[in-house]
Amino acid sequence: MKVLSVLLLLCLGLISNQSFSQKNAPKVVVGIVVDQMCYDYLYRFYPQFGKDGFKRLMDKGTHFRNVTYNYVPTFTGPGHASIYTGTTPSNHGIVANEWFYRPFGREVNCVEDTTVSTVGSASSYGKCSPYFLRSNTITDQLKLTYPSSKVIGVSIKDRSAILPAGHLSDGSYWYDYATGNFITSTFYKKQLPQWVNRFNELLLVSKYVNQPWNLLKDSACYTYIQQDNSPYEGLVGGKTSPVFPYDFSKATPADQLSLFTIMPAANTFLTDFAIQALSNEQLGKHATTDFLTISYSTPDIAGHTFGPYSLEMEDMYFRLDQELARLFQTLDKQIGKGEYVVFLTADHAVVPVPQFLKDHQLPGGYLFLKDKIDALRTACVATFGKDYLNTIENDNVYLTNEILGSELEPQVISFFKTEISKWTEVKRVYTKGELETQTTENWQQMVASGYDKERSGELIFILQPGYLPKSSDTPGSHKGTSHGSAFNYDTHVPVLFYGKDILPQDVFTPYEIVDITATLVHILEVQRPNTTIGKPMLELFKTR
Ligand SMILES: [Zn+2]
């Protein structure tokens, strides 16, 4: 396998000097993912956006207003993989951020790779690659078709830099929590490029983290100005109340490196880096289209802590808007207006804090799993004389190896289905047999699209709308929020295209997240990647 890939790379290298260009493709495509961005943020925050950030995409680009995720679970790894492969986890194999992996007998991270090493730090945060990604990305397809094209991926999160830029990436860079550097792995290269070293030497994190996070605008610009001290927000950095300013200058250096990633300054830091990548990697200066993938992780890190209806998230987006404007202005200058295409979307959205929903007489709540799992194990022993439950992770039920393939397996699976179906917090329970069978039921289809026989459990359940799974009932478990469900609060995300040959228009046709890659295929003039199932978003090609 390794020999083959070396040969492939050699071939790519050999033909990369040939000069040719596509018919009508842009010089650069920039893919932007805003981690955890809900569709309605575009409208909630619109009055406070400047003219050149989100508004430029909304008013001068094509806005697909009805795009949803078509599978569960709606997590970061699966989201980025689905955007860039044009298919669902059932094909690309990224079924969660972490899952129980039977061949290793332990939990794995979706981008971990113990066979590679960190480049740019002595830490282990770089032991990553797209090893678990079973499909080609649109960026892989670009490199296969046009070897002179360059693909670069950047993000704070490893998975959000790695999965979009694919297997043939010319450089995927993510944040090292041990040093504050951008790092990569030996999967990509043996040493950091000089420009990345120079960027790291600026020590921007220590500069940014010592500047307190205050409100950007006048207090009249914020809806939640009176609710800063909210009971639904988590506490960070040793604070006793979740209120502005967020000043981490007194935190230990180690704590600062992690607290930094919740601050809007981390979006600035990533934009700084993306702009450096653009010029130093000569993006837009090659014979064929280059591709830069940027994923802003901080809106998700902060979103988990503060929830969508918080003063912190308002300010987060007002500031992110400025970073987008800076990026677009740089693209205008370096690539040229009308010479590039930008698209922006999200890897999932988010549910309002369930306790907030409950307190406002809306449906929602929590599934406290620890006690439930203990009771399940006891019931299993009472029925079969033995505990056959291995673990429950991401609402997937993994049975012990001993029972898999045995004569008793169908009875044990049926037992767990019956027992878990009794939990009032649970909406549906599906067995692997059901998930491998064709169905017209919407929820079952969505779960089946997120199912992989090697990586998923023997049963998968979904919770009722507005519910989140938690380990146990503590005061902290009622603060902050998460995502992962099949419901619209998690699945409805922004999708905007802007740039070369793209008309200003709002499109209401329903599309699915897998349609983005199927559309990029025609912007880039490449074949559909191996497992892409999406359909092109035809309205985008109106002028062509
Ligand atoms: Zn995410």
Side-chain angles (χ1 to χ4, degrees), residues 50 71 144 202 269 278 346 351 367 371 454 481 495 503 544:
Y71 62 83
L144 274 171
L202 297 174
F269 176 66
L278 204 61
V351 69
L367 168 67
D371 291 348
E454 183 196 41
T481 188
V495 175
L503 278 180
R544 295 184 176 220

Side-chain angles (χ1 to χ4, degrees), residues 33-37 74-77 79-80 97 157 159-160 295-297 300-301 304 346-349 483:
V33 175
V34 181
D35 204 313
Q36 203 188 98
M37 183 171 179
T74 38
F75 293 137
T76 300
H80 283 80
N97 293 332
K157 291 185 187 176
R159 55 186 173 273
S160 311
S295 178
Y296 288 101
S297 307
D300 175 80
I301 298 166
H304 278 286
D347 55 340
H348 52 77
H483 47 84

